[in-house]
Amino acid sequence: MNTNSINTISKYLLLFLLILTGASCNDNDDAEDTSIPVLISQNINDGDVVGPSGYVELTFSKAMRQAPDTEIYFNGGVVRVSINYEKVRYTFSGMENKECTFEVPAGALTDMQGRAYDEDFFLSFTAKSEISGGGKVFDAIVDSKGNGDYTTLQAAINAITTPPTSPYKIFIANGTYNECVRINKNKPFVHLIGESRDGVKIQFAVNRVDDSSNATSWPYSIFNENSPARKAGYSEEQNTVVLIEATDFYAENISIINLYGAFSNQYRQ
């Protein structure tokens, strides 16, 4: 076999391998996932008895979203759920000794390409203050409207008298909490669970302006001993809305806002 024949065979063999490789990539890497969403698990089952505050969480086989112009219901009322990729969650509170229902009509949830979860989901469970063999879902409930154990987050934290050795879960209902919050070193394992990210606002005005002649900023300066932050017990180094000194801290679904310099019509409520 001469050199020209060998070169020709090599070129055709290389072309064949390139075609085969391209087909393999198309079959595996670029193929569109056309499967419909599947409900994999749920944290509460039909007939369960749970605490008066907690959440219903559904886990699907892929990232989900709520379809436009659809509604999801809790106890017959329209509610807003939070969706984090494949997890769909509704947080409830104040359900003392009540029968509860959670309903997702078919088509209300879809994957990111619009493929619907096409089954009706209906869950019925009982909420009680104490659960046999379990205890409360949350150790404390904070509600600015007075429907919980405390109306401020700092009051709930101050009530922790013994350093926790496992997660101490504080549920925060939707509302605006105008306060400085401090979690001391002797209060580890504090977990703050907000009802929704946009609904729970912990806010305060604080800055580090050291010019006492500035009538606009000085009232909120951490250097001003008469400022709200200093009256709340903060030092000159602790110019923050929420100060975490303890270990093993966790928080979710909470907006922490420094009001200083913010638009008053946007944050001051």
Side-chain angles (χ1 to χ4, degrees), residues 53-204:
S53 299
Y55 57 85
V56 179
E57 185 172 87
L58 309 180
T59 303
F60 290 86
S61 57
K62 51 175 64 177
M64 303 294 284
R65 62 183 177 184
Q66 185 170 353
D69 302 319
T70 60
E71 295 178 337
I72 296 174
Y73 306 92
F74 183 78
N75 286 353
V78 178
V79 295
R80 180 182 177 183
V81 298
S82 61
I83 302 178
N84 184 17
Y85 295 98
E86 74 278 4
K87 296 184 182 296
V88 178
R89 175 184 290 193
Y90 173 70
T91 304
F92 58 88
S93 64
M95 297 290 108
E96 299 285 347
N97 301 316
K98 292 183 179 180
E99 299 297 325
C100 301
T101 60
F102 181 68
E103 180 180 1
V104 182
L109 295 174
T110 74
D111 65 10
M112 304 308 289
Q113 288 74 41
R115 299 182 185 88
Y117 178 67
D118 55 3
E119 298 182 24
D120 289 320
F121 178 87
F122 185 85
L123 172 65
S124 177
F125 61 93
T126 302
K128 292 185 177 181
S129 295
E130 296 292 338
I131 308 171
S132 177
K136 294 183 177 180
V137 175
F138 292 98
D139 296 284
I141 299 172
V142 177
D143 188 335
S144 61
K145 304 176 184 64
N147 296 320
D149 303 312
Y150 308 94
T151 57
T152 68
L153 178 55
Q154 190 63 58
I157 294 170
N158 291 344
I160 304 174
T161 56
T162 303
T165 57
S166 60
Y168 186 93
K169 293 174 286 184
I170 300 176
F171 177 80
I172 309 173
N174 283 343
T176 300
Y177 301 86
N178 293 294
E179 56 178 314
C180 284
V181 176
R182 182 175 185 175
I183 302 178
N184 294 325
K185 293 180 180 179
N186 64 341
K187 297 181 180 181
F189 292 104
V190 170
H191 289 199
L192 306 181
I193 313 298
E195 184 174 353
S196 68
R197 184 192 64 182
D198 297 329
V200 176
K201 299 177 182 177
I202 302 173
Q203 57 185 38
F204 212 71

Side-chain angles (χ1 to χ4, degrees), residues 183-252:
I183 302 178
N184 294 325
K185 293 180 180 179
N186 64 341
K187 297 181 180 181
F189 292 104
V190 170
H191 289 199
L192 306 181
I193 313 298
E195 184 174 353
S196 68
R197 184 192 64 182
D198 297 329
V200 176
K201 299 177 182 177
I202 302 173
Q203 57 185 38
F204 212 71
V206 61
N207 64 59
R208 290 190 61 81
V209 175
D210 57 3
D211 182 6
S212 61
S213 65
N214 190 324
T216 301
S217 58
W218 183 246
Y220 303 101
S221 173
I222 196 67
F223 298 110
N224 181 357
E225 294 182 356
N226 295 318
S227 68
R230 291 294 293 276
K231 288 183 177 180
Y234 280 32
S235 69
E236 292 182 357
E237 292 75 29
Q238 297 165 339
N239 59 315
T240 181
V241 177
V242 177
L243 177 63
I244 310 300
E245 298 176 311
T247 60
D248 299 287
F249 171 79
Y250 174 82
E252 67 175 58

